[in-house]
Amino acid sequence: MKHILDYSCQNVEFYKSFKDYVNIKDFPVINKTVIRENEEKMMTPGFEKGKLFKEMTSGSTGTPLTIYQDKDKRNRARADTIVFSEFAGYKLGTRLYYSRVWNAYNRKSALQSRIQNIVMQESDKLSDADLEKFLSRLENDRSEKSVLIFASSLVALYQYAKRRVKKPDTCIQCFITMSESLPENVRKGVEELFGTVVVSRYSDCECGIIAQQCPGSDEYHINTGSFYVEILKLDSDEAAAEGEMGRIVVTDLFNHAMPLIRYDTGDIGIFSAHSDCGVGSKVLTRVDGRRVDCFYSTKGEMLSPYVINNTMWRFTELRQYQFIQNGKNDYILKLNVQSGAAVRERELLDSVKDYIGDDANIAIMYVDEIPLLASGKRKQVICNYNG
């Protein structure tokens, strides 16, 4: 870390005024807005943008952001992917089903797919017919394989597989979920139904793999080899106490083209200095997604989207859902229901009100589809209320 701090102070215009720093706390916390407004000042002279690797955020919660990475950073990210994938149970070289929205920007050529042994699985449609096609594809492929998938897509696959007449018959090394939090009961259910391990990964486009769950546990091991991770208070840049919910702030130790020091990811989590499994230390006991996805109870308490995710998983009659807060007591719950299924409305509303308050006004709206964001994700919780 000292190397990247010294390097940045010597070479990067944005950081030169911090050359007399004592420790990392002397540097400012930056975010997407700061980077957009100071892009040229945050670039290291001598690197040509045209020869650098570009990583763009999805723009799920705002204007997309471009981060420039040099070759060493890109190689480091690839190494991280290999190490953490093997930690999850994926064997390098075996087949990987990568479930996401594939487009002209990210689609691999036939040669790339073959060399990397990657199967591009579309995740934009989650009807029963689409999910059956996906399951059949996995069952007909008798090779060793793993699945990298959005958490919400795995929830849909699991719910469909439970309703299916026959139990899935496929050899899967592991499921690795990304982008959203996966309810603990769903993780255990998938492991039992498919007879494999399910691991959640916390990563972003700007940095790479920041942390990943330990197999069989819900704690996330921080990638201390590539990042310095801080948890800061929600309302200040002071360090959050161990066990306290806070903002996840990351320093990338390897990107020399565009150093990111104390970058506020926009995500929130809880830190622990000790791991339950005894492997290393510095774990996140919770990763609850983006702060802007948090919402409020009728008493004004900030709640994690995890609350809704953990409430909704057991309502198997639902294909998809989206929870929206528009006012202090006003909420909308959009439901995409299985064909012919009856929704347990009263039970559902009571379960949600247990967390947000009995005086909540929750309007149920039935829809045919929850629209995709540009990132390919489906936002399950939206807060239009500022608290």
Side-chain angles (χ1 to χ4, degrees), residues 310-372:
N310 259 357
T311 301
M312 303 297 289
W313 72 268
R314 66 180 180 273
F315 293 92
T316 56
E317 63 267 32
L318 305 179
R319 278 202 182 99
Q320 303 163 327
Y321 67 87
Q322 187 176 72
F323 184 79
I324 303 171
Q325 181 173 17
N326 287 323
K328 183 177 183 297
N329 292 58
D330 297 323
Y331 308 84
I332 295 174
L333 185 55
K334 293 184 178 181
L335 305 177
N336 178 5
V337 184
Q338 301 289 343
S339 178
V343 179
R344 293 168 284 165
E345 277 194 15
R346 187 68 268 157
E347 181 182 346
L348 190 157
L349 290 174
D350 288 343
S351 297
V352 174
K353 287 183 177 182
D354 282 344
Y355 290 100
I356 66 175
D358 289 334
D359 56 339
N361 300 316
I362 305 175
I364 290 182
M365 182 184 300
Y366 291 94
V367 297
D368 294 328
E369 185 73 19
I370 302 297
L372 286 171

Side-chain angles (χ1 to χ4, degrees), residues 99 103 138 160 175 199 224 229 307 322 328 336 345:
S99 176
N103 52 41
L138 292 171
Y160 172 73
F175 283 99
V199 168
T224 54
V229 177
V307 167
Q322 187 176 72
K328 183 177 183 297
N336 178 5
E345 277 194 15

Side-chain angles (χ1 to χ4, degrees), residues 26-79:
D26 293 328
F27 288 79
V29 176
I30 62 173
N31 55 30
K32 288 181 173 65
T33 301
V34 172
I35 295 173
R36 289 191 195 100
E37 293 176 351
N38 297 274
E39 181 177 302
E40 294 304 321
K41 290 183 179 180
M42 300 192 74
M43 296 291 300
T44 303
F47 285 97
E48 296 181 34
K49 283 186 177 180
K51 295 182 179 179
L52 294 173
F53 298 93
K54 292 196 301 184
E55 285 292 341
M56 298 183 65
T57 64
S58 62
S60 299
T61 56
T63 306
L65 173 72
T66 301
I67 299 296
Y68 294 90
Q69 300 177 347
D70 56 77
K71 185 177 180 180
D72 287 342
K73 164 61 184 178
R74 179 55 63 95
N75 286 338
R76 182 73 186 193
R78 288 170 175 163

Side-chain angles (χ1 to χ4, degrees), residues 109-128:
S109 67
L111 180 60
Q112 284 178 312
S113 296
R114 185 172 180 179
I115 290 174
Q116 297 176 4
N117 205 5
I118 289 177
V119 178
M120 293 180 288
Q121 173 67 36
E122 296 287 353
S123 67
D124 55 335
K125 297 179 180 178
L126 297 175
S127 68
D128 283 0

Side-chain angles (χ1 to χ4, degrees), residues 254-267:
F254 285 89
N255 189 4
H256 291 80
M258 192 178 190
L260 296 181
I261 298 173
R262 305 194 83 191
Y263 169 60
D264 189 333
T265 63
D267 299 321

Side-chain angles (χ1 to χ4, degrees), residues 124-263:
D124 55 335
K125 297 179 180 178
L126 297 175
S127 68
D128 283 0
D130 294 307
L131 294 170
E132 174 60 36
K133 187 176 180 180
F134 186 13
L135 272 179
S136 297
R137 194 178 192 185
L138 292 171
E139 290 175 325
N140 293 332
D141 182 350
R142 307 310 296 179
S143 66
E144 285 189 295
K145 54 192 170 293
S146 297
V147 181
L148 181 61
I149 187 171
F150 288 143
S152 56
S153 296
L154 183 57
V155 171
L157 186 69
Y158 168 63
Q159 291 176 335
Y160 172 73
K162 285 202 304 180
R163 298 193 307 272
R164 204 171 178 231
V165 175
K166 63 174 182 175
K167 184 178 179 179
D169 178 21
T170 182
C171 176
I172 297 176
Q173 296 167 333
C174 63
F175 283 99
I176 302 174
T177 69
M178 54 186 179
S179 295
E180 309 115 343
S181 59
L182 184 72
E184 178 65 12
N185 290 306
V186 174
R187 179 175 72 84
K188 291 179 178 178
V190 172
E191 289 181 337
E192 181 178 347
L193 187 63
F194 286 86
T196 190
V197 172
V198 180
V199 168
S200 289
R201 174 177 292 172
Y202 170 48
S203 62
D204 64 21
C205 296
E206 304 94 300
C207 299
I209 299 175
I210 299 170
Q212 184 175 284
Q213 274 185 340
C214 181
S217 171
D218 57 1
E219 65 181 15
Y220 293 74
H221 287 268
I222 296 174
N223 182 4
T224 54
S226 294
F227 305 102
Y228 178 72
V229 177
E230 302 173 80
I231 305 294
L232 304 184
K233 290 182 177 293
L234 294 174
D235 55 1
S236 76
D237 290 343
E238 296 179 16
E242 185 172 355
E244 178 185 3
M245 180 71 72
R247 296 142 52 215
I248 300 176
V249 175
V250 175
T251 295
D252 190 328
L253 305 180
F254 285 89
N255 189 4
H256 291 80
M258 192 178 190
L260 296 181
I261 298 173
R262 305 194 83 191
Y263 169 60

